[in-house]
């Protein structure tokens, strides 16, 4: 399949020419603060709220759970620490050329794979080439845009061997860019840029990453017990890891639990150290000191398949559907888990305007795209139906089988059928992995989708909605939007870039490319003895490397 992507969601004003100072040393709070405070048992019992683990292949992972497991069992040039700060990974030093187009990384010589092989520069070359190769069909290959020849390779116009990455011996790596990338270092902490052991890939073939036994690991932990379809597995401390002395947890038992009621009961009985809550549970436990509310850059939204249902290409029909939805009622009364009303497609708190210091989402919200107006909705609905030559529409609404998504679906279906005459909705409930597969194949009409930013920049959200991006499952197309993203991708002027991103956000809202529903928070009951866990709102949420159980 020919995988297309944004024309370079990677722009820049080149503000990151600093060396990764002290990268050869470990600045781990766990080593200094946890000494003498560790419990005798360093076992954590974790849980996942309904979402299944789909792969351990860094090139193919698209979901949050897979990304979390990969990032805790494998490692790239950097690790992402608190507040998305760069911390040491395989790289011990970084040099950036004056024109900000060439990075030279020095790699540590004491990093090994769990099979005993050393982690070398060639592992990065092989992994990167594999990720951009159209034969691999990586949905995240577009993130390589801006690295020399990446766009040509992913579009089938150049060979993977021409990618701008080169091994200078075993422990030095050179990366060549086509233009400065403002957030290049953040990308280096993302799993699609991780090294890959060629021996393992060839040994396991199509089975690579499909179970914990068909993978090798260079991170703090190793995966065990995952056979590819089961809902339980364990992260075990990796004794081959270069910084194993600062990894305290010996095991992390993880399991998928679809019911928040079940998870809460297991937490109460001491069988879980973390349980995700929903709705009334959050209200009930609001005064419990074990309740933790985590901010998130995840947006839940209604997506319209304009390719499968031609009527959904009509802007008025999409606007009408969105206008029936009362987001305040949705987050406060239906979800009730602390989720907040969305400002637009880019989530609040993700990024600030470098000139004004104002929140991007708040500054560029299109009120009509996230507010309710039933009278206007009915008017637009009548006009839209007339324009497409129909008197009614019958649509399916696909969604996950988690508590949150079922609640969202019931509300959306109820509002649409109540307020829009002639609209009939059939709800289709499927497991998370099935929903992802159907979205990717375009096998839906309406779908409750979700997206979480991969790094703290608006382009991480906006980039996926260009007309050729693989994550634009509904195939919404707007040439002005594409042009704005292209401008943001190619300018080296910060003000111009930010203005282009702002324009894109407003176009998305005005044209109702999707209908934003809610911005998530994550409400959890957490064992207060769990310390040192790193959580970030964007990208990989959980970094367990420095976590430990206190006495």
């Amino acid at each position: 399949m020919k995988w297309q992507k944004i024309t370079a969601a990677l722009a820049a004003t080149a503000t990151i020419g600093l060396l990764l100072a002290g990268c050869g040393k470990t600045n781990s709070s766990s080593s200094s603060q946890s000494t003498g405070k560790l419990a005798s048992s360093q076992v954590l019992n974790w849980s996942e709220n309904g979402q299944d683990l789909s792969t351990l292949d860094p090139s193919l992972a698209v979901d949050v759970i897979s990304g979390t497991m990969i990032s805790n069992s494998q490692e790239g040039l950097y690790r992402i620490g608190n507040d998305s700060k760069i911390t040491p990974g395989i790289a011990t030093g970084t040099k950036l050329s004056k024109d900000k187009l060439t990075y030279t990384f020095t790699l540590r010589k004491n990093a090994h794979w769990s099979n005993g092989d050393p982690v070398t520069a060639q592992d990065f070359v092989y992994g990167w080439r594999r990720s951009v190769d159209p034969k691999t069909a990586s949905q995240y290959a577009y993130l390589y845009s801006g690295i020399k020849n990446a766009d040509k390779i992913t579009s089938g116009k150049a060979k993977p061997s021409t990618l701008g990455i080169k091994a200078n011996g075993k422990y030095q790596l050179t990366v060549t860019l086509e233009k400065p990338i403002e957030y290049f270092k953040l990308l280096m902490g993302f799993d699609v840029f991780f090294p890959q052991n060629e021996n393992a890939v060839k040994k396991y073939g199509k089975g690579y990453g499909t179970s914990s036994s068909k993978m090798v690991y260079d991170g703090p932990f190793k995966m065990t017990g995952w056979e590819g379809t089961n809902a339980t597995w364990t992260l075990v401390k990796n004794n081959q890891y270069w910084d194993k002395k600062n990894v305290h947890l010996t095991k992390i038992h993880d399991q998928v639990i679809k019911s928040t009621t079940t998870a809460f009961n297991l937490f109460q009985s001491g069988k879980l150290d973390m349980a995700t809550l929903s709705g009334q549970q959050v209200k009930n436990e609001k005064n419990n000191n074990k309740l933790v509310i985590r901010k998130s850059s995840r947006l839940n939204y209604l997506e319209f398949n304009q390719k499968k249902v031609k009527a959904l290409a009509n802007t008025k029909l999409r606007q009408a559907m969105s206008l029936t939805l009362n987001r305040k009622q949705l987050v406060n009364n239906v979800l009730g888990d602390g989720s907040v009303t969305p400002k637009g497609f880019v989530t609040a708190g993700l990024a600030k305007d470098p000139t004004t210091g104002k929140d991007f989402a708040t500054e560029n919200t299109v009120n009509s795209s996230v507010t309710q107006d039933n009278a206007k909705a009915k008017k637009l609905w009548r006009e839209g139906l007339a324009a497409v030559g129909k008197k009614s529409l019958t649509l399916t609404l696909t969604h996950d089988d988690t508590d949150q998504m079922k609640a969202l679906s019931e509300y959306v279906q109820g509002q649409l059928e109540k307020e829009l005459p002639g609209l009939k909705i059939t709800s289709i409930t499927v497991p998370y992995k099935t929903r992802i597969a159907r979205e990717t194949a375009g096998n839906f009409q309406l779908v409750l989708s979700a997206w979480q930013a991969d790094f703290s920049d608006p382009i991480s959200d906006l980039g996926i909605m260009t007309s050729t991006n693989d994550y634009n499952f509904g195939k919404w197309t707007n040439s002005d939007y594409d042009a704005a993203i292209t401008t943001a991708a190619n300018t080296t002027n910060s003000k111009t870039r930010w203005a282009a991103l702002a324009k894109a956000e407003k176009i998305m809202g005005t044209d109702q490319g999707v209908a934003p529903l809610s911005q998530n928070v994550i409400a959890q009951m957490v064992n207060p003895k769990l310390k040192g866990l790193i959580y970030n709102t964007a990208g990989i949420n959980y970094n367990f490397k420095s976590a430990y159980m206190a006495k």
Side-chain angles (χ1 to χ4, degrees):
M1 182 181 293
K2 180 178 178 181
W3 292 88
Q4 298 176 320
K5 70 277 170 210
I6 57 175
T7 319
L10 308 170
T13 53
T15 59
I16 55 169
L18 300 176
L19 298 182
L20 182 61
C23 197
K25 300 179 180 179
T26 301
N27 184 20
S28 172
S29 61
S30 63
S31 61
S32 61
Q33 297 177 6
S34 65
T35 303
K37 298 181 180 179
L38 301 180
S40 57
S41 175
Q42 289 300 309
V43 176
L44 174 65
N45 294 303
W46 198 253
S47 64
E48 309 295 345
N49 180 222
Q51 295 185 0
D52 300 309
L53 174 60
S54 60
T55 184
L56 293 173
D57 185 341
S59 295
L60 299 181
V62 297
D63 61 281
V64 173
I65 307 304
S66 295
T68 299
M69 295 305 112
I70 291 170
S71 293
N72 282 283
S73 62
Q74 302 181 41
E75 188 167 88
L77 293 168
Y78 307 136
R79 294 189 70 80
I80 306 300
N82 274 322
D83 300 321
S84 295
K85 291 181 180 177
I86 298 301
T87 64
I90 303 300
T92 63
T94 307
K95 292 183 179 179
L96 179 60
S97 61
K98 290 184 178 180
D99 62 5
K100 299 179 176 59
L101 295 178
T102 304
Y103 281 84
T104 302
F105 299 97
T106 300
L107 309 185
R108 62 180 70 256
K109 297 180 180 180
N110 61 336
H112 291 83
W113 295 99
S114 54
N115 64 0
D117 291 348
V119 179
T120 68
Q122 184 57 38
D123 293 328
F124 284 92
V125 173
Y126 176 77
W128 287 27
R129 287 176 177 175
R130 181 172 178 269
S131 290
V132 298
D133 190 336
K135 294 179 181 178
T136 303
S138 171
Q139 287 184 259
Y140 268 124
Y142 74 89
L143 287 179
Y144 279 82
S145 186
I147 297 174
K148 185 178 179 181
N149 292 327
D151 290 345
K152 292 180 181 178
I153 296 166
T154 55
S155 61
K157 298 178 181 178
K159 296 181 178 179
S161 59
T162 64
L163 185 66
I165 184 171
K166 179 183 178 183
N168 306 313
K170 293 181 70 174
Y171 299 108
Q172 190 178 79
L173 187 70
T174 299
V175 176
T176 305
L177 309 181
E178 293 175 338
K179 53 200 160 192
I181 300 176
E182 187 173 353
Y183 39 82
F184 180 77
K185 287 186 176 181
L186 287 176
L187 291 177
M188 295 303 98
F190 198 60
D191 49 15
V192 77
F193 291 94
F194 284 3
Q196 296 184 46
N197 184 288
E198 185 174 1
N199 292 331
V201 176
K202 291 182 176 179
K203 177 182 178 179
Y204 299 120
K206 292 183 179 180
Y208 177 71
T210 60
S211 68
S212 57
S213 62
K214 295 179 179 178
M215 177 55 66
V216 291
Y217 308 96
D218 71 330
F221 300 93
K222 298 186 297 182
M223 285 282 292
T224 63
W226 184 61
E227 302 302 327
T229 57
N230 55 310
T232 61
W233 58 86
T234 301
L235 284 164
V236 179
K237 183 175 178 177
N238 182 6
N239 288 322
Q240 294 281 357
Y241 183 55
W242 65 270
D243 197 29
K244 63 181 179 181
K245 67 180 180 179
N246 287 310
V247 179
H248 300 297
L249 292 174
T250 57
K251 292 182 180 180
I252 304 173
H253 296 302
D254 203 358
Q255 60 180 303
V256 177
I257 303 176
K258 295 186 182 296
S259 167
T260 56
T261 300
T262 301
F264 180 73
N265 290 337
L266 289 171
F267 179 85
Q268 291 292 77
S269 63
K271 295 180 180 179
L272 280 181
D273 293 307
M274 188 284 286
T276 301
L277 305 187
S278 63
Q280 189 61 41
Q281 292 174 317
V282 181
K283 297 176 183 178
N284 293 344
E285 302 302 322
K286 65 180 181 180
N287 295 320
N288 192 325
N289 61 7
K290 295 179 182 179
L291 178 65
V292 176
I293 304 294
R294 304 187 192 278
K295 294 182 179 179
S296 171
S297 64
R298 172 176 160 138
L299 179 78
N300 293 322
Y301 57 95
L302 177 65
E303 190 158 18
F304 314 92
N305 193 334
Q306 300 180 39
K307 183 176 181 180
K308 193 176 186 70
V309 183
K310 298 302 181 183
L312 295 177
N314 182 278
T315 301
K316 290 183 177 180
L317 292 180
R318 298 194 305 272
Q319 290 172 332
M321 291 188 200
S322 178
L323 285 165
T324 67
L325 306 174
N326 184 327
R327 275 79 173 180
K328 289 183 179 179
Q329 183 183 61
L330 174 60
V331 299
N332 293 330
N333 301 334
V334 178
L335 297 179
D337 58 1
S339 293
V340 297
T341 56
K343 301 293 185 181
F345 193 67
V346 174
T347 51
L350 179 69
K352 293 182 178 180
D353 187 319
T355 302
T356 67
K358 294 181 179 179
D359 179 68
F360 178 90
T362 303
E363 196 172 41
N364 296 293
T365 188
V366 177
N367 288 326
S368 63
S369 70
V370 290
T371 55
Q372 184 184 42
D373 188 333
N374 288 327
K376 185 176 180 181
K378 288 179 170 62
K379 178 176 181 294
L380 290 172
W381 184 251
R382 289 194 299 270
E383 293 173 354
L385 286 179
V388 299
K390 292 182 177 294
K391 294 183 178 180
S392 63
L393 276 180
T394 299
L395 300 170
T396 59
L397 174 60
T398 303
H399 59 90
D400 297 354
D401 58 359
T402 61
D403 289 346
Q404 185 188 69
M405 286 303 186
K406 285 190 285 189
L408 280 172
S409 174
E410 289 173 7
Y411 175 78
V412 170
Q413 179 180 3
Q415 284 299 107
L416 294 182
E417 291 185 331
K418 175 185 175 183
E419 302 296 342
L420 302 177
L423 178 58
K424 174 65 177 175
I425 303 290
T426 300
S427 176
I428 299 177
T429 306
V430 295
Y432 172 77
K433 284 199 290 188
T434 303
R435 191 260 296 172
I436 291 291
R438 291 188 181 186
E439 279 187 315
T440 303
N443 184 20
F444 68 94
Q445 294 181 342
L446 300 175
V447 65
L448 293 185
S449 194
W451 177 258
Q452 177 176 293
D454 297 317
F455 47 92
S456 299
D457 190 284
I459 198 67
S460 185
D461 287 336
L462 297 171
I464 71 165
M465 291 305 296
T466 56
S467 58
T468 56
N469 191 279
D470 294 310
Y471 285 101
N472 181 359
F473 300 121
K475 304 305 177 187
W476 172 70
T477 301
N478 186 295
S479 59
D480 290 336
Y481 183 91
D482 289 350
I485 296 299
T486 299
T487 297
N490 292 308
T491 184
T492 57
N493 182 282
S494 181
K495 288 185 178 180
T496 302
R497 178 176 186 267
W498 207 259
L501 292 172
K503 181 179 180 180
E505 173 73 357
K506 290 174 181 177
I507 291 172
M508 165 80 78
T510 302
D511 201 50
Q512 208 72 65
V514 300
L517 299 175
S518 63
Q519 181 174 337
N520 270 21
V521 299
I522 304 174
Q524 299 174 333
M525 298 298 289
V526 180
N527 186 340
K529 292 185 178 181
L530 174 60
K531 308 292 184 182
L533 175 65
I534 292 174
Y535 175 84
N536 283 302
T537 60
I540 303 303
N541 293 140
Y542 301 101
N543 180 348
F544 292 103
K545 177 182 174 179
S546 59
Y548 64 96
M549 302 303 292
K551 291 181 179 178

